[in-house]
């Protein structure tokens, strides 16, 4: 049994942390397991210091239940959200609280060894600060801006990143930090972060990351859906007529990324003699009312919406959440919304929420930490807090 399977200790911890269950009786109803099995899972978590049980809740006809709570600040996962040109790190608690969040500029295209060296150095220092604050560190969660094999933690053929193909990021980083490491695609951890923090009551979501590149993560039945090999939700290389014969970094032509990514928009602006090197530059131009930038961003939104229209009709999610740096551009969000309402079945959009992500640059970081925390009940066992050892 893995730590994320229904009924596992990690699943119990997740239900309590999200507020879905507040007592053992709630867990029995939610999981459909025997009360004795639920009690064993709860006791395991209480003994490890990951849950507390105190106070009394409302009675449903019998004895008033004791309330379960996740003690904030006891156990944390270290988290890193990597972008093509930055490394963002922090620690994430069981209730979703972030600690010591920091970001530095770094070019991942320089190759894996310099990046892993810097990342290991920052994570090691971060771990020391957490322990000094009395927090137990259970491991590391990393979001990487490219395809990841979740089983091996290796990077698979990332666009525009020479030297990273088949790089064993999970194992190399674990060796350098001395901690267990979980690695996933950055859009997947963004989806986890937004779902956990903002939409925990929804069961089916598509979360798009629109920044320098484009990706998306899928939440199905309340859980991250990776597909057979971990590439579910990769919309960036869907071919579309508007992209014509434009060559893509993946080796194909006419991919969505060639006309709708931040990199594509910046390149188109430079062709017009307008200085734009990053998504920050694009957003500044849109805020200043620069007409070419506004038009290109709106067109990008329509292209993304055209691809998402197929996804919405096929998957029928409750919400489409637009994240990443470009989601701060209202013309892009409005264009995506307009195309989805125009092209999707009325039944698919009648109750569909189409919104910008709410957690900003921290969403991916929080999702990476949450992903690591969900692995607490794997073979490595549950970390015991200092208070629980006494």
């Amino acid at each position: 049994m893995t730590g994320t399977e229904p009924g596992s200790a990690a699943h119990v911890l997740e239900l309590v942390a999200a507020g879905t269950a507040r007592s053992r009786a709630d867990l029995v109803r939610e999981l459909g397991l025997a009360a004795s099995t639920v009690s064993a899972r709860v006791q395991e978590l209480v003994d490890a210091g990951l849950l507390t049980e105190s106070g009394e809740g409302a009675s449903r006809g019998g004895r008033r239940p004791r309330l379960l709570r996740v003690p904030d600040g006891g156990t944390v996962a270290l988290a890193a959200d990597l972008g093509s040109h930055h490394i963002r790190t922090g620690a994430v608690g069981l209730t979703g609280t972030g600690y010591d969040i920091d970001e530095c500029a770094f070019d991942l295209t320089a190759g894996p060894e310099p990046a892993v060296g810097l990342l290991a150095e920052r994570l090691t220092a971060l771990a020391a600060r957490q322990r000094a604050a009395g927090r137990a560190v259970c491991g590391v969660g990393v979001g990487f801006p490219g395809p990841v094999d979740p089983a091996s933690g290796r990077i698979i053929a990332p666009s525009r990143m020479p030297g990273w193909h088949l790089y064993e990021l999970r194992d190399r980083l674990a060796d350098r930090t001395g901690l267990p490491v979980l690695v996933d695609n950055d859009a997947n951890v963004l989806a986890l972060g937004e779902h956990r923090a903002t939409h925990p009551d929804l069961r089916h979501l598509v979360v798009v990351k629109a920044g320098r590149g484009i990706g998306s993560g899928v939440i199905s039945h309340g859980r991250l859906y990776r597909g057979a090999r971990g590439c579910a939700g990769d919309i960036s290389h869907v071919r579309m007529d508007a992209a014509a014969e434009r060559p893509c970094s993946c080796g194909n032509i006419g991919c969505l990324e060639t006309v709708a990514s931040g990199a594509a928009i910046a390149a188109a602006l430079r062709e017009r003699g307008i200085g734009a090197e990053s998504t920050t530059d694009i957003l500044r131009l849109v805020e200043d009312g620069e007409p070419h930038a506004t038009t290109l961003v709106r067109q990008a939104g329509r292209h993304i919406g055209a691809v998402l229209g197929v996804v919405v009709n096929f998957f029928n999610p409750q919400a489409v959440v637009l994240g990443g740096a470009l989601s701060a551009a209202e013309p892009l969000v409005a264009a995506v919304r307009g195309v989805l309402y125009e092209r999707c079945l009325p039944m698919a959009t009648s109750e569909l929420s189409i919104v910008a992500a709410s957690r900003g640059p921290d969403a991916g970081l929080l999702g990476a930490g949450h992903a690591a925390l969900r692995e607490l009940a794997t073979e490595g066992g549950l970390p015991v807090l200092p208070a629980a050892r006494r």
Side-chain angles (χ1 to χ4, degrees):
M1 175 184 289
T2 65
T4 57
E5 289 184 357
S8 67
H11 190 203
V12 168
L13 186 64
E14 183 179 352
L15 291 173
V16 176
T20 304
R22 302 184 63 206
S23 67
R24 298 189 188 213
D26 288 346
L27 288 167
V28 169
R29 285 189 292 271
E30 184 72 24
L31 297 171
L33 298 176
S36 58
T37 301
V38 168
S39 289
R41 299 282 188 272
V42 169
Q43 195 59 51
E44 180 183 359
L45 292 163
V46 170
D47 290 344
L50 299 173
L51 284 181
T52 62
E53 194 171 24
S54 62
E56 292 186 337
S59 172
R60 296 196 178 190
R63 188 171 57 185
R64 293 165 68 88
R66 299 181 71 196
L67 297 179
L68 296 168
R69 185 177 65 85
V70 174
D72 195 19
T75 293
V76 296
L78 307 184
D81 184 22
L82 309 185
S84 57
H85 290 81
H86 75 268
I87 293 177
R88 192 172 181 84
T89 56
V92 180
L94 291 162
T95 60
T97 304
Y99 306 94
D100 277 334
I101 296 175
D102 189 29
E103 182 174 315
C104 69
F106 189 84
D107 186 0
L108 258 63
T109 64
E113 287 304 323
V116 171
L118 176 61
L119 182 57
E121 178 183 321
R122 292 174 67 86
L123 290 173
T124 299
L126 178 63
R129 292 196 298 272
Q130 300 314 301
R131 291 171 180 137
R135 303 181 188 115
V137 177
C138 71
V140 181
V142 178
F144 184 86
V148 175
D149 178 1
S152 66
R154 294 190 303 177
I155 309 304
I156 308 296
S159 301
R160 301 183 299 275
M161 290 189 184
W164 282 95
H165 179 52
L166 297 182
Y167 187 80
E168 298 174 335
L169 179 56
R170 182 192 66 189
D171 293 346
R172 299 289 183 90
L173 193 56
D175 288 343
R176 304 248 189 135
T177 62
L179 292 166
V181 176
L182 178 147
V183 180
D184 207 335
N185 172 260
D186 61 344
N188 281 345
V189 298
L190 172 67
L192 282 171
E194 280 292 328
H195 180 238
R196 171 75 185 277
T198 311
H199 306 282
D201 55 326
L202 299 185
R203 305 284 288 169
H204 308 286
L205 290 86
V206 174
V207 181
V208 177
K209 184 171 186 178
R212 186 172 180 82
I214 298 175
S216 73
V218 178
I219 301 292
S220 178
H221 294 281
R223 307 180 76 77
L224 179 67
Y225 178 73
R226 293 186 176 91
R229 287 294 308 277
C231 61
D234 188 352
I235 63 173
S236 58
H237 300 294
V238 173
R239 186 166 182 177
M240 57 186 314
D241 292 341
E245 301 297 310
R246 294 172 185 257
C248 182
S249 58
C250 73
N252 282 323
I253 57 173
C255 296
L256 172 65
E257 186 167 294
T258 65
V259 291
S261 65
I265 295 170
L269 288 170
R270 291 195 298 272
E271 290 175 2
R272 291 167 168 79
I274 302 170
E277 298 294 334
S278 66
T279 52
T280 300
D281 295 334
I282 296 169
L283 293 175
R284 174 180 50 79
L285 289 166
V286 171
E287 289 172 1
D288 290 343
E290 206 292 319
H292 294 294
T294 303
T295 297
L296 287 170
V297 165
R298 185 175 291 114
Q299 287 176 348
R302 291 191 63 82
H303 297 324
I304 295 170
V307 172
L308 287 178
V310 178
V311 174
V312 168
N313 279 335
F314 180 80
F315 178 54
N316 189 203
Q318 295 164 286
V320 171
V321 181
L322 301 172
L326 288 179
S327 69
E330 179 54 32
L332 182 136
V333 176
V336 171
R337 187 180 290 118
V339 172
L340 288 180
Y341 283 127
E342 174 188 321
R343 299 195 179 190
C344 294
L345 295 170
M347 188 174 180
T349 57
S350 62
E351 298 182 2
L352 178 68
S353 174
I354 307 166
V355 297
S358 65
R359 300 299 298 203
D362 289 344
L365 188 78
L366 296 176
H370 176 53
L373 288 166
R374 287 179 62 183
E375 299 298 326
L376 289 171
T378 57
E379 302 87 36
L382 294 159
V384 181
L385 306 189
R389 295 192 185 103
R390 291 196 291 265

